[in-house]
Structures are given as structure tokens and as C-alpha cells.
């Protein structure tokens, strides 16, 4: 079982007792290649394996958190670039369609690149080792940050240069897959859920912390200098440079303290089987609706607030709008574990169905708030939408291993195969499917932002895009019901789904 499949918490918490002649593992404080790694062996785990795994988890969370922070940095930076003297974003605060479209184009580009990188980043851990690739992925974050610092202080820089820098920031989005894949190898089956949940939550929180810290530092920069174009350029520079010491610390920590597991191998057969399974693609569609909405709206939220409520810019501490935008990613990150927990009690498909209904209703409230020009209602409606996406992320994670387990049990029963082998195969296929589902889901964030941009460009309003989202969420709820809750179909196709509480 791999990263996200393990994070569902469907496995036993008991480890296998070690044979008496099995050598104990001695904890090593410094990073190295681990030729022997048997986390499911109780003696091995207790004699130093647990400490080594937790050490690697700490540095993995730190590096992944920074990856998300750099990935989402453009969502906030674009809201201040007009004031910093870049004409292609000058009208953003007045709702100018061209400026809004340019902002959404810049903020959506990292989403697409990050989604595309998730698949190769998953395969990188078995190829290069967790220690080396975590260090490499952390070092890569220096390119988009230092590049932005340089070009933001060149007022004549054209938009296409910033598009390249925004694309380079996408490397932070790929960090999620490599980090989850790496940590998956370190923990025993019964402890992967908690470890991977911590790892995922640490990454997601990087979005919220960036959207909180950057606006405050940009505002600080203008107070230290002047509230003019040069002052805003200084503020943006300050807000980006603040991440560089942490990136260097993550690079050093990975090289010195993290380990690589020599026995960690990829499973090409499981990937081929997962790619030919229709449920991989059904779940990818549902994950577009949950995680795609979370990451897409997280990137776009600062721009949406500034474009739709420009009068807020005159209110003291809200002068840089992102101070409120961080709330969306914050509540979405913290609601994710709840989605997994309640799915264990009620069933992942039931929760996912309710989530899509709640998301459609939230969109209706957002449109009502825009019609009434009511910012408190707008903010609350968006926060409800973010909470729904977080719960949906947890519930869809919970569905995936159960679906593959049910399919595998059915196949084993029909063909007289060994159940334990079938279960192991289901774990591998579920993990392989997650790599595909995660990449497709993240690309949904790019699609969402492009819909906003095109709607704004062609209709001078984002209303068509939002109503389109509401319809899409209802359709995804229908897909959930059709495949996993319609008892006659589910029992015929996957007999054990009803019992397994998908």
C-alpha cells in the first residue's frame, strides 16, 4: 500500500512479531542509505526503526511545506504587481477584465506545472532515493524565488518572463508526490495513515501560511519605504526572500539527516493495471472536484477578493487583500482529516455525495453575495466551500483503497485465488492509482482558474464560470451515486462495496 491508500487508515495497527534471530536496527542520527529496512518487523521497529522513520518524517514535512509555499506564492504576488509598476496588472484593483485575466493566467500556471510533475516525482524516490531527491526538490525552489526577486526589481520586465517564473514555481507542487511516496516506505502498514496524514496536512498548510505572511511583509515593505511603485517592489522582494533561508535549511537538513531506502522499488505492473481500471478515472474525476477546487480557489482567492471588492483596499490592515484570503486554505487544510474520520464512520461515498451538494450550494451563496455586494456573506460562503473541499479530499482518499480491495476480493472469489495475495495486489494498485488521481486532481485547479479567466475575458463577469462549477459539482455528486451508492449497480459490479462502506 502506498501514500494515499495508507492515509485512509484502513489497515491493521498490529505489526508482525520478529523472529528471534532477526537483527535489531540501530538508529543512525545522520543520513545514509539503508540496506535493511523492515518496518513491519516489531523488533526492528522498536530497536531504532521508529526513531529513524520519525526523523525522516520531520524533515519531509518541512521540505514539503516549503514546496507548497512556493507553489502558491504567485496567487498573492499578482495582487500587488500592478501597484509595483507592472502595467499588465495595473487595473486589477478596479476589476479591469484584462488585468484580472492576466492575474489568473499567472496564478494558474504553477498549478498546471505542479500537477504534471506529480507523476515523475512519484517515480523519482525509488530511482534516486528519498534523501537525494528531497534535497534536489528543495534546491529547485531557489530558482523561482531568486528569479522573482531579480525580475520584480526590473520595472520593464514583460509578462512572458513572469510566466516562465510562475511555471518554475510549479516544482513546489510536485514535492507532494515525492514526499508522500518517500514516507510511505518508512512506516509499517498500521502506522502509515497517521504519518501520511501529518505529511499531507503539513504541505497543505503551506498554502495558508504563504497567503498570510506574504501580504503582511509586502505591507511592511511599503511602510519601511513608501507606498509607491518602488515601495511595493521592495515589499514583494522582502516577502519572497524570507523563504530562502528556510529553503537552504531544508536542503541542509535533507542532506545531513534524511535517509534513502535501498529496497524501495516501484511497481510498474501495478501502474499498468491501475491505468486500465475504470475506477481510477472515476475517482480522478471526483478528485478534480475536491482537491482541484481546493487548490484552484486557493490560488485564485486573493485575486477574486481584490477584483470583486476593491473598496476593501482602503481599510487599514486589509490594504493588502491576501490577509483574508489565507483563511480559505487554512480551513480547507484542517477539515481534511475530519473528512477521512467521518468517512470511516459513515462511508466515503456518502460523505463525498454530501460534499458535492454542499459545494454547489456554496457557489449559489457566493453568487448571491456578489449580487448583494455583501463581503461578509461572500467570505463566509467561500469558507464553507473550502471546508467542503477539505472534507471531500479526506472522503475520496478513504474511498480509493476500499474500492480496489472490493474489486480484488470479487476477482479472487470468482477465480479461486489466494485472498492474501489478492489483498496485497489491491494495495499496490490503489497506491499506483493515487499517483494518477493526484496528478489529474491537481490539474483540475488549473482548469478551474482558466474557466474564471475565460469567463471574465469574454463576458466581463465570472458568473458563467461559477454557475458552471455548481452544475459540475452536482454532476460529480451524480457520478458518485451512480458508481458507489446505487445498490443494484454497486453490488453487481463490486459485491463487497456495500459491506465495506465505500
Amino acid at each position: 500500500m502506498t501514500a494515499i491508500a495508507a492515509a485512509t487508515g484502513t489497515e491493521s495497527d498490529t505489526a508482525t512479531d520478529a523472529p528471534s534471530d532477526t537483527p535489531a536496527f540501530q538508529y543512525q542520527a545522520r543520513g545514509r542509505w539503508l540496506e535493511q529496512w523492515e518496518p513491519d518487523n516489531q523488533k526492528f521497529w522498536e530497536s531504532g526503526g521508529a526513531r529513524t522513520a520519525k526523523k525522516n518524517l520531520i524533515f519531509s514535512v518541512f521540505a514539503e511545506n516549503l514546496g507548497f509555499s512556493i507553489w502558491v506564492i504567485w496567487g498573492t504576488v499578482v495582487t500587488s504587481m500592478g501597484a509595483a509598476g507592472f502595467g499588465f496588472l495595473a487595473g486589477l484593483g478596479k476589476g479591469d477584465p484584462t488585468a484580472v485575466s492576466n492575474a489568473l493566467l499567472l496564478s494558474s500556471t504553477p498549478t498546471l506545472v505542479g500537477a504534471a510533475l506529480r507523476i515523475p516525482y512519484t517515480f523519482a524516490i525509488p530511482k534516486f532515493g528519498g534523501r537525494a531527491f528531497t534535497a534536489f526538490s528543495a534546491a529547485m525552489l531557489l530558482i523561482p524565488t531568486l528569479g522573482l526577486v531579480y525580475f520584480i526589481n526590473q520595472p520593464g520586465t514583460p509578462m512572458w518572463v513572469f510566466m516562465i517564473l510562475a511555471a518554475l514555481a510549479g516544482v513546489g507542487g510536485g514535492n507532494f508526490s515525492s514526499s508522500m511516496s518517500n514516507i510511505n516506505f518508512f512506516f509499517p502498514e498500521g502506522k502509515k495513515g497517521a504519518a501520511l496524514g501529518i505529511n499531507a496536512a503539513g504541505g497543505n498548510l503551506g498554502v495558508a501560511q504563504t497567503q498570510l505572511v506574504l501580504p503582511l511583509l509586502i505591507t511592511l515593505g511599503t511602510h519601511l519605504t513608501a507606498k509607491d511603485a518602488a515601495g511595493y517592489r521592495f515589499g514583494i522582494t522582502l516577502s519572497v526572500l524570507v523563504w530562502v533561508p528556510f529553503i537552504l535549511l531544508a536542503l541542509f537538513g535533507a542532506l545531513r539527516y534524511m535517509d534513502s531506502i535501498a529496497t524501495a522499488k516501484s511497481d510498474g505492473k501495478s501502474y499498468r493495471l491501475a491505468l486500465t481500471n475504470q475506477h481510477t478515472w472515476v475517482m480522478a474525476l471526483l478528485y478534480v472536484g475536491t482537491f482541484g477546487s481546493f487548490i484552484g480557489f486557493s490560488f485564485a482567492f486573493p485575486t477574486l477578493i481584490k477584483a470583486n471588492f476593491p473598496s476593501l483596499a482602503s481599510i487599514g490592515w486589509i490594504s493588502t487583500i491576501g490577509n483574508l484570503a489565507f483563511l480559505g486554505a487554512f480551513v480547507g487544510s484542517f477539515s481534511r482529516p475530519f473528512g477521512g474520520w467521518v468517512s470511516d464512520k459513515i462511508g466515503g461515498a456518502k460523505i463525498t455525495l454530501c460534499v458535492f451538494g454542499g459545494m454547489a450550494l456554496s457557489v449559489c451563496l457566493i453568487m448571491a453575495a456578489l449580487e448583494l455586494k455583501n463581503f461578509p456573506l461572500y467570505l463566509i460562503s467561500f469558507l464553507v466551500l473550502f471546508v467542503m473541499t477539505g472534507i471531500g479530499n479526506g472522503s475520496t482518499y478513504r474511498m480509493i483503497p476500499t474500492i480496489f480491495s472490493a474489486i480484488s476480493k470479487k476477482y479472487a472469489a470468482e477465480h479461486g485465488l489466494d485472498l492474501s495475495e489478492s489483498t496485497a495486489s489491491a494495495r499496490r494498485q490503489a497506491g499506483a492509482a493515487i499517483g494518477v488521481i493526484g496528478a489529474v486532481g491537481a490539474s483540475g485547479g488549473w482548469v478551474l482558474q482558466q474557466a474564471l479567466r475565460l469567463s471574465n475575458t469574454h463576458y466581463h463577469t465570472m458568473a458563467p464560470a461559477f454557475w458552471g462549477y455548481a452544475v459540475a459539482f452536482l454532476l460529480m455528486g451524480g457520478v458518485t451515486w451512480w458508481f458507489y451508492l446505487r445498490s443494484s449497480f454497486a453490488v453487481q459490479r463490486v459485491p463487497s462495496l456495500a459491506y465495506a462502506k465505500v
Side-chain angles (χ1 to χ4, degrees), residues 369-404:
L370 286 174
E371 187 68 25
L372 297 171
K373 299 294 182 183
N374 186 320
F375 179 71
L377 177 61
Y378 182 80
L379 180 62
I380 292 171
S381 300
F382 249 116
L383 294 183
V384 172
L385 178 61
F386 274 108
V387 169
M388 290 292 106
T389 64
I391 295 174
N393 288 336
S395 64
T396 50
Y397 264 42
R398 176 63 180 87
M399 290 172 67
I400 296 167
T402 310
I403 291 169
F404 278 86

mmCIF file of all heavy atoms in Angstrom, residues 369-404:
data_model
loop_
_atom_site.group_PDB
_atom_site.id
_atom_site.type_symbol
_atom_site.label_atom_id
_atom_site.label_comp_id
_atom_site.label_asym_id
_atom_site.label_seq_id
_atom_site.Cartn_x
_atom_site.Cartn_y
_atom_site.Cartn_z
ATOM 1 N N ALA A 369 -24.028 36.671 -2.786
ATOM 2 C CA ALA A 369 -23.212 37.692 -2.125
ATOM 3 C C ALA A 369 -22.697 38.719 -3.129
ATOM 4 O O ALA A 369 -22.651 39.919 -2.841
ATOM 5 C CB ALA A 369 -22.048 37.035 -1.396
ATOM 6 N N LEU A 370 -22.294 38.259 -4.309
ATOM 7 C CA LEU A 370 -21.825 39.198 -5.334
ATOM 8 C C LEU A 370 -22.954 40.085 -5.819
ATOM 9 O O LEU A 370 -22.760 41.283 -6.071
ATOM 10 C CB LEU A 370 -21.225 38.414 -6.509
ATOM 11 C CG LEU A 370 -19.856 37.775 -6.273
ATOM 12 C CD1 LEU A 370 -19.452 36.909 -7.454
ATOM 13 C CD2 LEU A 370 -18.802 38.856 -6.020
ATOM 14 N N GLU A 371 -24.136 39.523 -5.951
ATOM 15 C CA GLU A 371 -25.292 40.312 -6.395
ATOM 16 C C GLU A 371 -25.642 41.371 -5.363
ATOM 17 O O GLU A 371 -26.013 42.506 -5.707
ATOM 18 C CB GLU A 371 -26.484 39.376 -6.621
ATOM 19 C CG GLU A 371 -27.697 40.047 -7.242
ATOM 20 C CD GLU A 371 -27.476 40.472 -8.676
ATOM 21 O OE1 GLU A 371 -26.613 39.878 -9.356
ATOM 22 O OE2 GLU A 371 -28.161 41.426 -9.113
ATOM 23 N N LEU A 372 -25.513 41.023 -4.082
ATOM 24 C CA LEU A 372 -25.835 41.960 -2.998
ATOM 25 C C LEU A 372 -24.655 42.850 -2.615
ATOM 26 O O LEU A 372 -24.816 43.741 -1.771
ATOM 27 C CB LEU A 372 -26.275 41.167 -1.765
ATOM 28 C CG LEU A 372 -27.555 40.321 -1.901
ATOM 29 C CD1 LEU A 372 -27.725 39.426 -0.681
ATOM 30 C CD2 LEU A 372 -28.767 41.222 -2.087
ATOM 31 N N LYS A 373 -23.481 42.594 -3.211
ATOM 32 C CA LYS A 373 -22.252 43.314 -2.845
ATOM 33 C C LYS A 373 -21.975 43.196 -1.349
ATOM 34 O O LYS A 373 -21.568 44.153 -0.682
ATOM 35 C CB LYS A 373 -22.338 44.793 -3.251
ATOM 36 C CG LYS A 373 -22.519 45.030 -4.734
ATOM 37 C CD LYS A 373 -21.299 44.568 -5.517
ATOM 38 C CE LYS A 373 -21.441 44.837 -7.012
ATOM 39 N NZ LYS A 373 -20.287 44.329 -7.789
ATOM 40 N N ASN A 374 -22.194 42.013 -0.815
ATOM 41 C CA ASN A 374 -22.084 41.758 0.616
ATOM 42 C C ASN A 374 -20.810 40.940 0.866
ATOM 43 O O ASN A 374 -20.786 39.727 0.658
ATOM 44 C CB ASN A 374 -23.321 40.992 1.093
ATOM 45 C CG ASN A 374 -23.365 40.818 2.595
ATOM 46 O OD1 ASN A 374 -22.353 40.560 3.240
ATOM 47 N ND2 ASN A 374 -24.549 40.960 3.168
ATOM 48 N N PHE A 375 -19.749 41.620 1.330
ATOM 49 C CA PHE A 375 -18.481 40.924 1.524
ATOM 50 C C PHE A 375 -18.512 39.895 2.645
ATOM 51 O O PHE A 375 -17.962 38.797 2.479
ATOM 52 C CB PHE A 375 -17.348 41.915 1.768
ATOM 53 C CG PHE A 375 -16.026 41.232 1.992
ATOM 54 C CD1 PHE A 375 -15.366 40.598 0.943
ATOM 55 C CD2 PHE A 375 -15.452 41.188 3.258
ATOM 56 C CE1 PHE A 375 -14.156 39.939 1.143
ATOM 57 C CE2 PHE A 375 -14.248 40.534 3.471
ATOM 58 C CZ PHE A 375 -13.602 39.916 2.409
ATOM 59 N N PRO A 376 -19.118 40.174 3.809
ATOM 60 C CA PRO A 376 -19.156 39.131 4.853
ATOM 61 C C PRO A 376 -19.803 37.832 4.352
ATOM 62 O O PRO A 376 -19.301 36.746 4.623
ATOM 63 C CB PRO A 376 -19.979 39.785 5.966
ATOM 64 C CG PRO A 376 -19.726 41.245 5.800
ATOM 65 C CD PRO A 376 -19.649 41.460 4.318
ATOM 66 N N LEU A 377 -20.924 37.940 3.613
ATOM 67 C CA LEU A 377 -21.566 36.744 3.078
ATOM 68 C C LEU A 377 -20.664 36.062 2.051
ATOM 69 O O LEU A 377 -20.588 34.825 2.004
ATOM 70 C CB LEU A 377 -22.911 37.115 2.437
ATOM 71 C CG LEU A 377 -23.672 35.959 1.769
ATOM 72 C CD1 LEU A 377 -24.001 34.871 2.787
ATOM 73 C CD2 LEU A 377 -24.957 36.485 1.097
ATOM 74 N N TYR A 378 -19.962 36.864 1.252
ATOM 75 C CA TYR A 378 -19.045 36.337 0.243
ATOM 76 C C TYR A 378 -17.926 35.528 0.911
ATOM 77 O O TYR A 378 -17.621 34.398 0.498
ATOM 78 C CB TYR A 378 -18.461 37.509 -0.543
ATOM 79 C CG TYR A 378 -17.514 37.146 -1.667
ATOM 80 C CD1 TYR A 378 -17.996 36.728 -2.900
ATOM 81 C CD2 TYR A 378 -16.135 37.261 -1.506
ATOM 82 C CE1 TYR A 378 -17.131 36.420 -3.950
ATOM 83 C CE2 TYR A 378 -15.262 36.960 -2.538
ATOM 84 C CZ TYR A 378 -15.765 36.540 -3.759
ATOM 85 O OH TYR A 378 -14.907 36.238 -4.781
ATOM 86 N N LEU A 379 -17.335 36.095 1.954
ATOM 87 C CA LEU A 379 -16.236 35.427 2.643
ATOM 88 C C LEU A 379 -16.716 34.146 3.326
ATOM 89 O O LEU A 379 -16.086 33.087 3.208
ATOM 90 C CB LEU A 379 -15.619 36.371 3.677
ATOM 91 C CG LEU A 379 -14.449 35.804 4.487
ATOM 92 C CD1 LEU A 379 -13.283 35.450 3.582
ATOM 93 C CD2 LEU A 379 -14.002 36.819 5.557
ATOM 94 N N ILE A 380 -17.842 34.215 4.027
ATOM 95 C CA ILE A 380 -18.363 33.038 4.727
ATOM 96 C C ILE A 380 -18.713 31.927 3.733
ATOM 97 O O ILE A 380 -18.419 30.756 3.968
ATOM 98 C CB ILE A 380 -19.599 33.418 5.570
ATOM 99 C CG1 ILE A 380 -19.169 34.326 6.736
ATOM 100 C CG2 ILE A 380 -20.300 32.174 6.092
ATOM 101 C CD1 ILE A 380 -20.323 34.920 7.498
ATOM 102 N N SER A 381 -19.329 32.311 2.605
ATOM 103 C CA SER A 381 -19.708 31.315 1.604
ATOM 104 C C SER A 381 -18.478 30.624 1.033
ATOM 105 O O SER A 381 -18.475 29.403 0.820
ATOM 106 C CB SER A 381 -20.504 31.981 0.476
ATOM 107 O OG SER A 381 -21.674 32.590 0.969
ATOM 108 N N PHE A 382 -17.427 31.390 0.801
ATOM 109 C CA PHE A 382 -16.199 30.803 0.289
ATOM 110 C C PHE A 382 -15.546 29.887 1.335
ATOM 111 O O PHE A 382 -14.993 28.829 0.999
ATOM 112 C CB PHE A 382 -15.214 31.885 -0.156
ATOM 113 C CG PHE A 382 -15.020 31.925 -1.643
ATOM 114 C CD1 PHE A 382 -15.406 33.027 -2.375
ATOM 115 C CD2 PHE A 382 -14.453 30.855 -2.319
ATOM 116 C CE1 PHE A 382 -15.242 33.067 -3.757
ATOM 117 C CE2 PHE A 382 -14.276 30.876 -3.692
ATOM 118 C CZ PHE A 382 -14.676 31.992 -4.420
ATOM 119 N N LEU A 383 -15.600 30.298 2.596
ATOM 120 C CA LEU A 383 -15.018 29.461 3.641
ATOM 121 C C LEU A 383 -15.768 28.139 3.762
ATOM 122 O O LEU A 383 -15.161 27.086 3.979
ATOM 123 C CB LEU A 383 -15.010 30.203 4.978
ATOM 124 C CG LEU A 383 -14.096 31.432 5.061
ATOM 125 C CD1 LEU A 383 -14.123 32.028 6.460
ATOM 126 C CD2 LEU A 383 -12.670 31.085 4.661
ATOM 127 N N VAL A 384 -17.092 28.189 3.614
ATOM 128 C CA VAL A 384 -17.869 26.949 3.612
ATOM 129 C C VAL A 384 -17.454 26.074 2.436
ATOM 130 O O VAL A 384 -17.292 24.852 2.572
ATOM 131 C CB VAL A 384 -19.383 27.250 3.548
ATOM 132 C CG1 VAL A 384 -20.186 25.960 3.343
ATOM 133 C CG2 VAL A 384 -19.840 27.948 4.822
ATOM 134 N N LEU A 385 -17.250 26.687 1.273
ATOM 135 C CA LEU A 385 -16.792 25.944 0.101
ATOM 136 C C LEU A 385 -15.437 25.292 0.354
ATOM 137 O O LEU A 385 -15.224 24.115 0.017
ATOM 138 C CB LEU A 385 -16.703 26.890 -1.106
ATOM 139 C CG LEU A 385 -16.183 26.280 -2.418
ATOM 140 C CD1 LEU A 385 -17.082 25.145 -2.889
ATOM 141 C CD2 LEU A 385 -16.070 27.353 -3.496
ATOM 142 N N PHE A 386 -14.518 26.022 0.983
ATOM 143 C CA PHE A 386 -13.201 25.462 1.290
ATOM 144 C C PHE A 386 -13.303 24.305 2.288
ATOM 145 O O PHE A 386 -12.587 23.300 2.164
ATOM 146 C CB PHE A 386 -12.271 26.550 1.831
ATOM 147 C CG PHE A 386 -11.555 27.329 0.769
ATOM 148 C CD1 PHE A 386 -11.904 28.634 0.490
ATOM 149 C CD2 PHE A 386 -10.526 26.755 0.044
ATOM 150 C CE1 PHE A 386 -11.244 29.370 -0.502
ATOM 151 C CE2 PHE A 386 -9.851 27.456 -0.940
ATOM 152 C CZ PHE A 386 -10.214 28.764 -1.213
ATOM 153 N N VAL A 387 -14.169 24.446 3.291
ATOM 154 C CA VAL A 387 -14.365 23.355 4.249
ATOM 155 C C VAL A 387 -14.876 22.113 3.530
ATOM 156 O O VAL A 387 -14.427 20.986 3.784
ATOM 157 C CB VAL A 387 -15.338 23.777 5.362
ATOM 158 C CG1 VAL A 387 -15.763 22.566 6.198
ATOM 159 C CG2 VAL A 387 -14.690 24.819 6.269
ATOM 160 N N MET A 388 -15.808 22.318 2.606
ATOM 161 C CA MET A 388 -16.352 21.191 1.836
ATOM 162 C C MET A 388 -15.262 20.501 1.017
ATOM 163 O O MET A 388 -15.211 19.274 0.939
ATOM 164 C CB MET A 388 -17.469 21.683 0.913
ATOM 165 C CG MET A 388 -18.756 22.116 1.604
ATOM 166 S SD MET A 388 -19.645 20.725 2.356
ATOM 167 C CE MET A 388 -19.273 21.021 4.080
ATOM 168 N N THR A 389 -14.385 21.300 0.399
ATOM 169 C CA THR A 389 -13.309 20.689 -0.397
ATOM 170 C C THR A 389 -12.373 19.869 0.485
ATOM 171 O O THR A 389 -11.913 18.793 0.094
ATOM 172 C CB THR A 389 -12.493 21.739 -1.168
ATOM 173 O OG1 THR A 389 -11.808 22.600 -0.243
ATOM 174 C CG2 THR A 389 -13.377 22.581 -2.074
ATOM 175 N N GLY A 390 -12.082 20.380 1.678
ATOM 176 C CA GLY A 390 -11.206 19.642 2.592
ATOM 177 C C GLY A 390 -11.825 18.321 3.023
ATOM 178 O O GLY A 390 -11.163 17.276 3.019
ATOM 179 N N ILE A 391 -13.106 18.355 3.396
ATOM 180 C CA ILE A 391 -13.795 17.121 3.776
ATOM 181 C C ILE A 391 -13.824 16.156 2.599
ATOM 182 O O ILE A 391 -13.602 14.949 2.748
ATOM 183 C CB ILE A 391 -15.227 17.436 4.255
ATOM 184 C CG1 ILE A 391 -15.176 18.260 5.551
ATOM 185 C CG2 ILE A 391 -16.014 16.154 4.471
ATOM 186 C CD1 ILE A 391 -16.527 18.744 6.023
ATOM 187 N N GLY A 392 -14.066 16.690 1.403
ATOM 188 C CA GLY A 392 -14.100 15.853 0.205
ATOM 189 C C GLY A 392 -12.755 15.234 -0.109
ATOM 190 O O GLY A 392 -12.682 14.086 -0.579
ATOM 191 N N ASN A 393 -11.667 15.956 0.140
ATOM 192 C CA ASN A 393 -10.339 15.373 -0.065
ATOM 193 C C ASN A 393 -10.145 14.150 0.828
ATOM 194 O O ASN A 393 -9.617 13.121 0.410
ATOM 195 C CB ASN A 393 -9.247 16.405 0.235
ATOM 196 C CG ASN A 393 -9.153 17.474 -0.822
ATOM 197 O OD1 ASN A 393 -9.554 17.276 -1.967
ATOM 198 N ND2 ASN A 393 -8.622 18.634 -0.454
ATOM 199 N N GLY A 394 -10.574 14.276 2.084
ATOM 200 C CA GLY A 394 -10.449 13.159 3.008
ATOM 201 C C GLY A 394 -11.345 11.987 2.637
ATOM 202 O O GLY A 394 -10.938 10.830 2.717
ATOM 203 N N SER A 395 -12.568 12.269 2.204
ATOM 204 C CA SER A 395 -13.505 11.181 1.892
ATOM 205 C C SER A 395 -13.120 10.439 0.621
ATOM 206 O O SER A 395 -13.265 9.217 0.540
ATOM 207 C CB SER A 395 -14.935 11.719 1.777
ATOM 208 O OG SER A 395 -15.062 12.637 0.696
ATOM 209 N N THR A 396 -12.611 11.156 -0.386
ATOM 210 C CA THR A 396 -12.188 10.466 -1.605
ATOM 211 C C THR A 396 -10.943 9.617 -1.347
ATOM 212 O O THR A 396 -10.812 8.511 -1.896
ATOM 213 C CB THR A 396 -11.913 11.469 -2.747
ATOM 214 O OG1 THR A 396 -11.044 12.511 -2.277
ATOM 215 C CG2 THR A 396 -13.195 12.076 -3.256
ATOM 216 N N TYR A 397 -10.033 10.115 -0.512
ATOM 217 C CA TYR A 397 -8.872 9.303 -0.112
ATOM 218 C C TYR A 397 -9.351 7.991 0.514
ATOM 219 O O TYR A 397 -8.793 6.922 0.274
ATOM 220 C CB TYR A 397 -8.048 10.067 0.924
ATOM 221 C CG TYR A 397 -6.873 10.833 0.381
ATOM 222 C CD1 TYR A 397 -6.965 11.559 -0.798
ATOM 223 C CD2 TYR A 397 -5.665 10.842 1.069
ATOM 224 C CE1 TYR A 397 -5.887 12.272 -1.280
ATOM 225 C CE2 TYR A 397 -4.576 11.549 0.596
ATOM 226 C CZ TYR A 397 -4.693 12.267 -0.588
ATOM 227 O OH TYR A 397 -3.616 12.957 -1.061
ATOM 228 N N ARG A 398 -10.385 8.093 1.336
ATOM 229 C CA ARG A 398 -10.906 6.906 2.037
ATOM 230 C C ARG A 398 -11.535 5.919 1.062
ATOM 231 O O ARG A 398 -11.479 4.696 1.269
ATOM 232 C CB ARG A 398 -11.938 7.354 3.084
ATOM 233 C CG ARG A 398 -12.633 6.222 3.823
ATOM 234 C CD ARG A 398 -11.646 5.411 4.633
ATOM 235 N NE ARG A 398 -12.304 4.333 5.348
ATOM 236 C CZ ARG A 398 -12.535 3.129 4.840
ATOM 237 N NH1 ARG A 398 -12.200 2.863 3.601
ATOM 238 N NH2 ARG A 398 -13.113 2.198 5.562
ATOM 239 N N MET A 399 -12.131 6.405 -0.010
ATOM 240 C CA MET A 399 -12.811 5.528 -0.959
ATOM 241 C C MET A 399 -11.841 4.653 -1.755
ATOM 242 O O MET A 399 -12.135 3.491 -2.037
ATOM 243 C CB MET A 399 -13.641 6.365 -1.943
ATOM 244 C CG MET A 399 -14.851 7.037 -1.342
ATOM 245 S SD MET A 399 -15.624 8.183 -2.503
ATOM 246 C CE MET A 399 -16.253 7.057 -3.757
ATOM 247 N N ILE A 400 -10.696 5.202 -2.128
ATOM 248 C CA ILE A 400 -9.829 4.544 -3.112
ATOM 249 C C ILE A 400 -9.378 3.147 -2.686
ATOM 250 O O ILE A 400 -9.573 2.177 -3.427
ATOM 251 C CB ILE A 400 -8.631 5.443 -3.461
ATOM 252 C CG1 ILE A 400 -9.128 6.719 -4.143
ATOM 253 C CG2 ILE A 400 -7.643 4.717 -4.361
ATOM 254 C CD1 ILE A 400 -8.097 7.822 -4.257
ATOM 255 N N PRO A 401 -8.763 2.969 -1.497
ATOM 256 C CA PRO A 401 -8.320 1.614 -1.144
ATOM 257 C C PRO A 401 -9.476 0.643 -0.964
ATOM 258 O O PRO A 401 -9.345 -0.548 -1.244
ATOM 259 C CB PRO A 401 -7.540 1.821 0.163
ATOM 260 C CG PRO A 401 -8.090 3.069 0.732
ATOM 261 C CD PRO A 401 -8.432 3.934 -0.431
ATOM 262 N N THR A 402 -10.627 1.142 -0.496
ATOM 263 C CA THR A 402 -11.773 0.269 -0.301
ATOM 264 C C THR A 402 -12.304 -0.238 -1.634
ATOM 265 O O THR A 402 -12.690 -1.405 -1.772
ATOM 266 C CB THR A 402 -12.887 1.021 0.450
ATOM 267 O OG1 THR A 402 -12.334 1.647 1.600
ATOM 268 C CG2 THR A 402 -13.986 0.070 0.873
ATOM 269 N N ILE A 403 -12.332 0.626 -2.625
ATOM 270 C CA ILE A 403 -12.796 0.229 -3.958
ATOM 271 C C ILE A 403 -11.896 -0.860 -4.532
ATOM 272 O O ILE A 403 -12.378 -1.906 -4.995
ATOM 273 C CB ILE A 403 -12.833 1.451 -4.897
ATOM 274 C CG1 ILE A 403 -13.930 2.411 -4.460
ATOM 275 C CG2 ILE A 403 -13.043 1.020 -6.346
ATOM 276 C CD1 ILE A 403 -13.873 3.755 -5.158
ATOM 277 N N PHE A 404 -10.600 -0.632 -4.483
ATOM 278 C CA PHE A 404 -9.679 -1.611 -5.055
ATOM 279 C C PHE A 404 -9.687 -2.908 -4.261
ATOM 280 O O PHE A 404 -9.538 -4.002 -4.823
ATOM 281 C CB PHE A 404 -8.272 -1.029 -5.138
ATOM 282 C CG PHE A 404 -8.062 -0.172 -6.346
ATOM 283 C CD1 PHE A 404 -8.388 1.172 -6.329
ATOM 284 C CD2 PHE A 404 -7.557 -0.709 -7.523
ATOM 285 C CE1 PHE A 404 -8.225 1.968 -7.448
ATOM 286 C CE2 PHE A 404 -7.383 0.076 -8.647
ATOM 287 C CZ PHE A 404 -7.717 1.421 -8.616
#
